[in-house]
């Protein structure tokens, strides 16, 4: 049996247990392995032990989801404050700050886009659908997953994979 579920981690775990299914999710660093043209910005993996060497301001989020609130940080001091208590080896995803004009979420299954909708801003979905199709065709992608897309300038790029 197979089913695709997208939602809060606890909800998905309970549902998977009730249905006797195993959850799959994209590898945490998969987004960094996408072609640069699909990202529209440089994404790198670092760790909290290297916060002094980052260029600020920068967007930072934990590689393992939800260890701290993701966002743009202005200094190493501020990043140390929001990650207080986490080990220096904690991996982080770092990028230059960007501002998306709109954001969309696409649901992909078996290398096809099943649905796509805006969740922030206003824009035509044509470019978002094309970007989602490009992601769906990349070898090594999970059987089913969600891709968040952002309108950066005049093109749609990948924000993150879930």
């Amino acid at each position: 049996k197979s089913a695709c579920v997208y939602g809060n981690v606890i909800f998905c775990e309970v549902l998977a247990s009730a249905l006797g299914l195993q959850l799959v999710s994209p590898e945490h660093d998969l987004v960094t392995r996408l072609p640069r043209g699909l990202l529209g910005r440089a994404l790198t993996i670092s760790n909290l032990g290297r916060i002094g060497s980052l260029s600020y301001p920068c967007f930072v989020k934990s590689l393992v989801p939800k260890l701290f609130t993701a966002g743009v940080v202005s200094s190493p001091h501020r990043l140390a404050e929001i990650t207080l208590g986490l080990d220096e080896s904690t991996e982080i995803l770092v990028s230059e700050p960007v501002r998306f004009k709109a954001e969309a979420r696409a649901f992909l299954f078996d290398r096809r886009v099943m649905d796509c909708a805006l969740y922030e801003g206003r824009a035509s979905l044509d470019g978002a659908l094309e970007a989602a199709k490009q992601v769906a065709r990349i070898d090594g992608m999970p059987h089913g997953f969600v891709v968040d897309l952002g309108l950066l300038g005049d093109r749609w790029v990948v924000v993150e994979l879930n």
Side-chain angles (χ1 to χ4, degrees):
K1 13 177 193 184
S2 107
C4 287
V5 178
Y6 176 77
N8 175 286
V9 172
I10 293 173
F11 167 76
C12 292
E13 288 174 349
V14 169
L15 188 61
S17 177
L19 296 175
L21 300 173
Q22 180 179 6
L23 292 178
V24 294
S25 185
E27 297 171 30
H28 298 306
D29 67 343
L30 183 58
V31 70
T32 65
R33 292 183 264 145
L34 294 177
R36 173 79 187 258
L38 281 173
L39 296 173
R41 65 208 182 282
L43 291 177
T44 59
I45 296 174
S46 190
N47 64 49
L48 293 179
R50 296 186 197 140
I51 63 175
S53 65
L54 300 177
S55 295
Y56 293 89
C58 59
F59 174 83
V60 181
K61 70 185 277 188
S62 57
L63 195 58
V64 174
K66 312 286 187 213
L67 294 180
F68 60 89
T69 302
V72 175
V73 292
S74 58
S75 68
H77 176 73
R78 180 64 186 134
L79 183 52
E81 286 178 346
I82 65 174
T83 60
L84 186 65
L86 295 175
D87 189 89
E88 285 189 346
S89 65
T90 302
E91 291 184 304
I92 55 175
L93 186 64
V94 182
S95 84
E96 64 188 276
V98 295
R99 186 172 308 274
F100 298 115
K101 294 178 184 176
E103 294 182 54
R105 179 164 292 142
F107 295 83
L108 284 66
F109 183 73
D110 279 344
R111 299 172 82 91
R112 294 176 304 166
V113 177
M114 305 307 289
D115 197 7
C116 184
L118 286 174
Y119 65 88
E120 186 73 34
R122 301 181 128 188
S124 167
L125 279 177
D126 294 341
L129 284 166
E130 186 53 42
K133 288 176 186 176
Q134 289 178 39
V135 173
R137 291 190 295 262
I138 295 173
D139 288 333
M141 287 293 166
H143 183 60
F145 66 103
V146 171
V147 60
D148 286 348
L149 303 154
L151 183 57
L152 188 58
D154 61 353
R155 68 182 177 139
W156 287 91
V157 298
V158 173
V159 175
E160 66 180 341
L161 305 173
N162 295 296

